[in-house]
Amino acid sequence: MKLKASLVLAFGLVAGMAHAATELVIATVNNGHMIEMQKLSGNFEKANPDIKLKWVTLEEGVLRQRVTTDIATKGGQFDVMTIGMYETPIWGKKGWLQEIKTDAAYDVDDLLPNIRNGLSVDGKLFAAPFYGESSMLMYRKDLADKAGVTLPERPTWTQVADLAKKIHDPKNGVYGICLRGKPGWGDNMALISTMVNTYGGQWFDMKWQPQLTSQPWKDAITFYVDLLTKYGPPGSSANSFNEILALTNSGKCGMWVDATIAASFVSDPKQSKVADKMAFAQAPTQLTAKGANWLWAWSLAIPAGSKKVDAAQKFVTWATSKDYINLVGQTNGWATVPTGTRKSTYANADFLKIARFAKAEKMAIDSANPNDSTLPKSPYVGVQYAAIPEFQAIGTTVGQQMSAALAGQKTVDEALKASQNVAERQMKKAGYYK
C-alpha cells in the first residue's frame, strides 16, 4: 500500500509539474507598447501559475516574414502571434486562425467598431486588438502661429504644402514637413496609398487591373516628391517612423503625417522638446476625403494548429482587456496606455486629462472605412493596402520604386511605369486576369 501510495504521489507530482510547464511562445513586434506588455506580463503569470510565457521579439519586417512562413507551413513555432489588419481577414478566411472566444467580462462590444470589423470574418473575431491606429497630422502650432496660419480640422495637402513652405527654415534646423520615404508596403506605401486615395486614385480597378500609371497616381507622387524635396529633411528616402519621431521630438519637423500612436510620444515632455507646442489635425485630403487616413491594429492571434489554445486564449484576452489598459495607466501613467482599441479608453477622465490628441485620434479611427476608401469603386478591402495575398510583394516593390523617385534616382514616370509592370505581372501570374 505504501508503495502504491508513493507511486500515486509521485505521479501526481509529475503531472503537476507537467501542467505547470505549459509554455506559450509569443511572437511580437519590437516597439514600446509590446516591450511594456512583456514587462507587465509577470502579473499574468502570477495569476496563472500554470502558464509560462516565452517571448520572441522581432523587428516589424522580420516578424511579418517569420509568422507568415510559420502559419503558411503549419510550422507550429508560435502559440500567439502579433499580426495586423492586413493578415487577419486573409488568414481567418483560409482557416489558419483560431476564433477569439471572449467572456462577458472582456466586453467585446467595447471594442471600437472599425477596429473590431477589420479583425473579423463573417462576424467572428480572429485577432484581438492590442493597440489601434489611424493616421493624423501633427504640427508645431508655434510655427504655424508665427506664420499667421490657422489649419482647419481636416486640411488639404495644398494647405499643408503652403504651411510647409512658410515654416521651412533649415538654417535654424527646422524642416517644413517630414514624411516616410523608406521603402516597404507598410512603410512609405502606407502614407503614399492614402495620398493617392485623396487624389482620387486606387491600386486596382474593378477588373483587378493595376492603376499605377493613372493620372491620380502621377499627380500624388509628383506632389509627394516635390514636397519632400523642397521642404523635407535631407535623406528623406531613408526615413521611417522612428527616424521621423526622433526628428520631431528634437523640434526639427514643422509637420508630420503618420500613425496616431505617435501623438502620445510627441506630446510627452519626457520624450519631446516641443511637447507643449504640438497640435493635431486630421490627415490631409485633396480631391476627396475618402481613404485620407489609414486604419491599422497590431493584434494578438492564435494559429489554428496550436496545441495550447486554452492557455493562449487566456493570455490574449488578458493582454487586450480593459483591465490591462487600467494596469498600464496605474503603473506607468495614462499617457502611456495602448490606445485605439476601446470606447472605454476615450471615456476615461484620467486618460482624457493627459491626452490632448484623444479627440483627433478617435475621430481619425472612426472615419476610416476599409470597405469604401477610394473615389472610384474598388474590388479590394483596405485603406493603405489591398487585402489580397499578392499585395505584400507588389507593395514592397512599388515602395522601392517610390523611394528611388524621392532620392532622385528615377523620374516619377519611370518609377510608376516600372511599378505598373511589376503589378501587372504579379496579378496575371496569380490569375486575376489574363
Side-chain angles (χ1 to χ4, degrees), residues 90-416:
I90 296 173
W91 295 357
K93 276 179 190 165
K94 286 178 180 281
W96 290 358
L97 301 173
Q98 292 278 352
E99 183 185 349
I100 302 295
K101 299 285 181 69
T102 59
D103 57 19
Y106 184 80
D107 191 4
V108 73
D109 291 331
D110 185 48
L111 297 177
L112 295 174
N114 271 357
I115 300 293
R116 180 181 174 181
N117 292 341
L119 299 172
S120 298
V121 178
D122 298 328
K124 294 178 180 177
L125 195 65
F126 282 95
F130 182 70
Y131 75 80
E133 64 181 39
S134 184
S135 51
M136 70 188 335
L137 173 66
M138 297 159 276
Y139 66 99
R140 289 271 303 273
K141 191 168 185 305
D142 60 322
L143 298 179
D145 289 346
K146 192 177 174 184
V149 174
T150 302
L151 282 178
E153 188 174 70
R154 190 179 281 280
T156 63
W157 276 109
T158 302
Q159 288 172 317
V160 166
D162 289 344
L163 179 56
K165 181 180 180 179
K166 287 175 181 171
I167 62 178
H168 186 58
D169 186 11
K171 286 180 183 175
N172 290 306
V174 175
Y175 305 102
I177 191 162
C178 298
L179 299 171
R180 294 189 192 200
K182 189 176 183 180
W185 74 264
D187 219 318
N188 64 340
M189 292 318 298
L191 172 79
I192 287 171
S193 295
T194 61
M195 292 182 78
V196 170
N197 291 340
T198 73
Y199 270 82
Q202 62 190 149
W203 276 94
F204 309 101
D205 68 12
M206 289 303 289
K207 294 180 180 176
W208 289 106
Q209 296 278 350
Q211 298 295 298
L212 292 144
T213 49
S214 65
Q215 198 60 47
W217 273 88
K218 288 182 183 180
D219 292 345
I221 305 308
T222 301
F223 175 86
Y224 164 78
V225 169
D226 188 57
L227 181 67
L228 280 179
T229 303
K230 287 180 178 173
Y231 312 123
S236 280
S237 60
N239 284 347
S240 183
F241 181 90
N242 288 330
E243 290 81 9
I244 301 173
L245 177 62
L247 285 167
T248 303
N249 281 347
S250 62
K252 292 181 179 175
C253 292
M255 286 183 282
W256 181 23
V257 180
D258 212 300
T260 52
I261 203 75
S264 59
F265 306 139
V266 301
S267 60
D268 178 6
K270 291 177 187 170
Q271 299 182 49
S272 172
K273 289 181 181 176
V274 289
D276 60 331
K277 296 175 176 64
M278 297 303 295
F280 309 96
Q282 296 302 295
T285 65
Q286 196 60 16
L287 298 180
T288 178
K290 280 190 178 187
N293 44 332
W294 72 58
L295 188 68
W296 186 255
W298 277 119
S299 310
L300 301 178
I302 305 165
S306 173
K307 303 288 190 290
K308 304 165 187 173
V309 176
D310 289 345
Q313 291 274 14
K314 271 187 184 177
F315 175 75
V316 168
T317 53
W318 172 81
T320 61
S321 66
K322 291 182 199 175
D323 288 344
Y324 177 81
I325 292 170
N326 288 331
L327 175 67
V328 177
Q330 288 156 14
T331 307
N332 302 320
W334 282 96
T336 65
V337 300
T339 59
T341 59
R342 289 183 170 271
K343 300 170 193 171
S344 53
T345 303
Y346 296 92
N348 185 300
D350 292 323
F351 171 67
L352 294 175
K353 200 187 300 176
I354 287 171
R356 289 186 290 113
F357 56 85
K359 183 188 169 191
E361 178 183 57
K362 187 171 184 294
M363 187 187 291
I365 291 170
D366 288 346
S367 67
N369 185 354
N371 296 305
D372 185 21
S373 63
T374 58
L375 195 55
K377 199 173 178 188
S378 294
Y380 55 87
V381 171
V383 182
Q384 75 278 25
Y385 55 83
I388 56 172
E390 296 74 22
F391 180 77
Q392 203 161 337
I394 293 170
T396 298
T397 305
V398 176
Q400 290 163 349
Q401 293 292 330
M402 298 306 105
S403 193
L406 180 57
Q409 295 160 2
K410 288 188 169 188
T411 66
V412 168
D413 281 346
E414 286 168 347
L416 289 173

Side-chain angles (χ1 to χ4, degrees), residues 25-29 38 54-58 63 66 77-78:
V25 181
I26 303 166
T28 196
V29 65
Q38 292 174 49
K54 182 182 177 184
W55 297 89
V56 179
T57 308
L58 304 162
L63 173 82
R66 287 276 299 275
Q77 287 182 43
F78 309 117

